[in-house]
């Protein structure tokens, strides 16, 4: 699969998993540099907001918008994933006054390879959204075709709303 960056084609390492499939196994790192494995993320519906670089304007905007919107859904976990090192993610949280944001780092690119979202030439992840149910089944996904564009927030939040209601 490919995406574009300012119109220039970039190849992903493969085709990302589709709706209806189980989320693959990967590991990420939390703010304390502790490994977080896929199985530790199961048990609660989770929205993955995937950004190429947390320190760029569109990624920062996406992260702030989802953190604000997801406050309406306390039963759904929000995780922002980027390849930024942990110290950069912590700096972003402090600079944006979002201390409760859950940013996980894919600096080892395990998530990027497992989810087929890594752009190997750039070392970043394709801007995307994945929503999984409590069992790890992908119920919504969106790969943003042009990396400088924002995701479709409304479609993602509608999927969260639908999943949230079905979990009640």
């Amino acid at each position: 699969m490919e995406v574009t960056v300012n119109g220039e084609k970039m190849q992903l390492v493969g085709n990302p998993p589709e709706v209806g499939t189980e989320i693959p196994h990967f590991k990420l790192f939390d703010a304390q540099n502790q490994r977080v494995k896929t199985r530790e993320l199961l048990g609660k519906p989770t929205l993955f907001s995937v950004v190429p670089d947390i320190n760029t304007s569109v990624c920062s905007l996406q992260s702030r918008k989802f953190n604000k919107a997801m406050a309406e859904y306390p039963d759904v976990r929000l995780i922002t994933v980027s390849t930024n090192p942990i110290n950069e993610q912590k700096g972003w949280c402090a600079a944006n006054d979002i201390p409760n944001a859950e940013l996980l780092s894919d600096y080892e690119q395990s998530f990027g390879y497992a989810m087929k979202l890594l752009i190997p030439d750039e070392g970043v992840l394709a801007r995307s959204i994945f929503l999984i149910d409590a069992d790890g089944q992908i119920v919504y996904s969106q790969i943003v075709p042009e990396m400088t564009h924002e995701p479709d927030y409304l479609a993602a939040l509608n999927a969260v709303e639908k999943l949230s209601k079905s979990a009640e």
Side-chain angles (χ1 to χ4, degrees), residues 113-158:
Y113 276 106
M115 296 288 288
K116 309 295 188 226
L117 294 171
L118 184 70
I119 301 171
D121 295 342
E122 303 294 316
V124 298
L125 304 171
R127 183 178 315 285
S128 50
I129 307 297
F130 285 87
L131 178 62
I132 62 169
D133 65 15
D135 298 322
Q137 186 94 359
I138 298 170
V139 296
Y140 174 84
S141 73
Q142 177 189 145
I143 311 296
V144 181
E146 168 56 54
M147 298 254 295
T148 61
H149 294 170
E150 293 177 71
D152 184 341
Y153 300 106
L154 187 57
L157 292 171
N158 283 342

Side-chain angles (χ1 to χ4, degrees), residues 3-76:
V3 294
T4 59
V5 179
N6 293 316
E8 183 183 339
K9 292 181 180 179
M10 299 281 175
Q11 201 66 40
L12 302 184
V13 293
N15 292 316
E18 297 182 10
V19 169
T21 63
E22 200 171 292
I23 195 161
H25 295 280
F26 53 78
K27 66 180 176 192
L28 294 163
F29 293 88
D30 67 14
Q32 289 71 46
N33 202 27
Q34 297 298 307
R35 186 177 18 238
V36 179
K37 295 181 180 178
T38 309
R39 71 174 177 268
E40 297 168 51
L41 301 174
L42 303 179
K44 184 176 186 178
T46 301
L47 179 74
F48 290 89
S49 173
V50 183
V51 297
D53 181 348
I54 194 68
N55 292 313
T56 60
S57 60
V58 178
C59 296
S60 187
L61 185 62
Q62 175 179 331
S63 300
R64 287 194 314 270
K65 281 186 176 181
F66 272 123
N67 271 284
K68 183 176 182 182
M70 290 301 290
E72 302 288 319
Y73 304 97
D75 55 329
V76 180

Side-chain angles (χ1 to χ4, degrees), residues 89-120:
Q89 291 183 338
K90 284 182 180 178
W92 181 86
C93 286
N96 287 276
D97 195 28
I98 307 177
N100 298 328
E102 187 171 5
L103 270 72
L104 296 179
S105 178
D106 189 32
Y107 66 80
E108 288 188 351
Q109 301 177 343
S110 168
F111 177 87
Y113 276 106
M115 296 288 288
K116 309 295 188 226
L117 294 171
L118 184 70
I119 301 171

